[in-house]
């Protein structure tokens, strides 16, 4: 399944709107909402699947920071991967150790 968010990050400086993550099959069927934010206080953008396809990592835009979060690809509650600061464009890489 492909993944997308409602507003791309480059519009966030100009648009203060609700933004959630969705999944959809390439043929346009199976639209599924993954996050359910009802205010612009938390917005989801820049989603990327982990290599195993089990998680979707995304940038959570909060009032005072941008954090890296992940949500199970099948839906569920997001978890914080890196809190605080300005975290963008997360990329999952293999453990070097």
């Amino acid at each position: 399944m492909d993944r997308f968010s409602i507003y791309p990050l480059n519009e966030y400086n100009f648009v203060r709107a609700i933004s959630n993550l969705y999944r959809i099959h390439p043929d346009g069927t199976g639209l599924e909402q993954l996050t359910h934010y009802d205010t612009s206080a938390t917005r989801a953008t820049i989603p990327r699947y982990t290599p195993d396809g089990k998680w979707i990592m995304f940038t959570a835009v909060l009032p005072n920071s941008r954090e890296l979060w992940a949500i199970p690809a099948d839906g569920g509650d997001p978890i914080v991967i890196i809190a605080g600061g300005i975290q963008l464009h997360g990329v999952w890489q293999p453990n070097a150790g």
Side-chain angles (χ1 to χ4, degrees), residues 2-89:
D2 287 332
R3 75 277 177 241
F4 67 93
S5 61
I6 297 174
Y7 291 100
L9 186 62
N10 63 349
E11 292 185 16
Y12 276 12
N13 293 331
F14 309 105
V15 176
R16 292 297 299 181
I18 297 168
S19 183
N20 284 289
L21 297 181
Y22 292 80
R23 292 189 327 166
I24 191 167
H25 292 283
D27 66 2
T29 63
L31 179 64
E32 180 181 0
Q33 186 172 350
L34 297 176
T35 60
H36 300 275
Y37 305 124
D38 56 4
T39 73
S40 63
T42 301
R43 297 176 285 159
T45 190
I46 314 174
R48 297 173 190 231
Y49 278 102
T50 58
D52 63 8
K54 294 181 180 180
W55 291 85
I56 298 173
M57 186 168 42
F58 65 96
T59 299
V61 180
L62 306 171
N64 296 312
S65 67
R66 294 180 179 160
E67 302 180 345
L68 289 180
W69 291 11
I71 189 168
D74 292 334
D77 294 328
I79 61 169
V80 177
I81 300 212
I82 300 176
I86 302 294
Q87 311 299 330
L88 301 171
H89 307 282

